[in-house]
Amino acid sequence: MKQLIGAASAVAALVLTAHNAIAGPADYVYTPTVEYGEREIDFKAGTAKKTDEARESAASIGFGYGATEYWFTELYAKYKRENGSGTFFDAVEWENKFQLTETGKYPVDIGFITEIERPQDHSEGWEVKFGPLFQTDIGKTQLNLNILFERNYRAEEANPMRLGYQWQAKYRWKPQFEFGAQGFGDVGKWDNFAPRAEQSHIFGPAVFGKIALGGRQFIKYNAAYLIDANDAKHSNTFRTQVEYEF
C-alpha cells in the first residue's frame, strides 16, 4: 500500500508539470511497449456527460499487428452518438506506435505515438495526433505519462496545435485484476495555455486485467470512471477497452 501511495504521489507531480491532449469518450491511455508478431482485435467505447450538454458516446473497433520489434500499427473504424441522434460512422483512424527503448533496460521505457484520422465530415480535414510515451515501475506499480499534440490539417476552419496529456497508475495485484487510476487533459494551445476554467482535466479510478485463453491468446480489459476537475458534480465519463490478442 505504501508503494501505491508513493506511486500516486509521483503521478500527481508529473501531471502538475505536464502538458495536455483532447480526450474523447472512447480514448485510452497509450503504453510504449510493442510485442513483435502480436495481433489484436481492439474494441473501445465510452460515454461522457458535460455540464448543460447532451450525453455524447463513442466507440471504435480496430485490428492491430506488431509488425516489428519496435513498431505496432493499427487501423480503426470509429462511431459516435451525440445530441440525442442515432449512432453514426464518424472516422477512420490509422495508429502507429514506436518503441524507442528496450523494455526494462533503462529506468523509464520510452515510445512515440502517431495517429492520422480522416473524419467522415471532410470539412474537418485530417486530424493528426502525436507525442512521446513514458512508462516506469515502482515495485508492483506501473506509471505512465503521455504528452500529446493534436491538430486538424486542411480543415475549412483554421485551428491551432493543441496540447494534452494522459496519465495512469496501475497496481499489479493479480494478472486477472489490477487497479489504479487514469487521467486525461487538454490545456488548449500548445504555446499559449487557455485560462484554467477553459481547460479540461478528467480523472478517476480504473481497473485492468489480462485473462489467458491458452497459447498466445489473451483477453485484456481496462475501464475507468472519470470526473471533471472543473465540475465533478455534473460532468463524468465512463470508458472501457477490451482487446483479444492472438
Side-chain angles (χ1 to χ4, degrees), residues 5-204:
I5 294 172
S9 299
V11 169
L14 288 173
V15 170
L16 290 174
T17 59
H19 309 302
N20 309 34
I22 302 169
D27 281 8
Y28 72 108
V29 177
Y30 308 113
T31 57
T33 55
V34 170
E35 185 173 338
Y36 176 49
E38 177 185 279
R39 295 168 293 173
E40 71 174 31
I41 297 173
D42 184 7
F43 174 75
K44 302 194 295 289
T47 181
K49 176 67 171 69
K50 298 181 180 180
T51 307
D52 300 326
E53 295 183 15
R55 182 168 291 276
E56 175 186 341
S57 300
S60 67
I61 186 166
F63 176 77
Y65 177 60
T68 72
E69 294 181 350
Y70 60 85
W71 171 38
F72 189 87
T73 184
E74 192 156 12
L75 187 66
Y76 287 97
K78 305 178 74 172
Y79 298 84
K80 185 179 287 188
R81 181 186 181 97
E82 59 186 0
N83 300 324
S85 65
T87 302
F88 60 92
F89 175 71
D90 183 45
V92 173
E93 179 183 278
W94 184 29
E95 176 184 301
N96 290 279
K97 180 170 64 176
F98 302 93
Q99 182 172 335
L100 304 181
T101 60
E102 183 179 337
T103 303
K105 184 175 182 180
Y106 303 103
V108 178
D109 296 328
I110 301 175
F112 195 87
I113 192 77
T114 64
E115 286 183 356
I116 300 174
E117 180 179 303
R118 180 56 163 169
Q120 176 71 359
D121 182 357
H122 289 184
S123 67
E124 297 179 16
W126 296 79
E127 180 183 296
V128 177
K129 182 186 294 184
F130 61 93
L133 316 176
F134 304 97
Q135 178 174 299
T136 191
D137 294 309
I138 301 177
K140 289 188 175 183
T141 302
Q142 175 185 304
L143 303 176
N144 293 84
L145 175 66
N146 305 326
I147 302 171
L148 303 172
F149 300 85
E150 182 178 314
R151 184 176 179 183
N152 284 55
Y153 292 90
R154 297 187 178 180
E156 288 187 359
E157 296 184 10
N159 59 90
M161 181 81 72
R162 301 183 69 84
L163 183 59
Y165 65 77
Q166 304 172 340
W167 63 263
Q168 177 175 282
K170 178 173 70 173
Y171 183 74
R172 297 192 182 99
W173 183 43
K174 297 180 179 180
Q176 299 85 355
F177 183 77
E178 303 166 329
F179 58 90
Q182 292 181 336
F184 301 81
D186 168 30
V187 297
K189 294 181 181 180
W190 73 277
D191 58 349
N192 185 18
F193 294 176
R196 181 64 177 80
E198 297 177 14
Q199 297 179 18
S200 172
H201 305 276
I202 59 175
F203 61 92

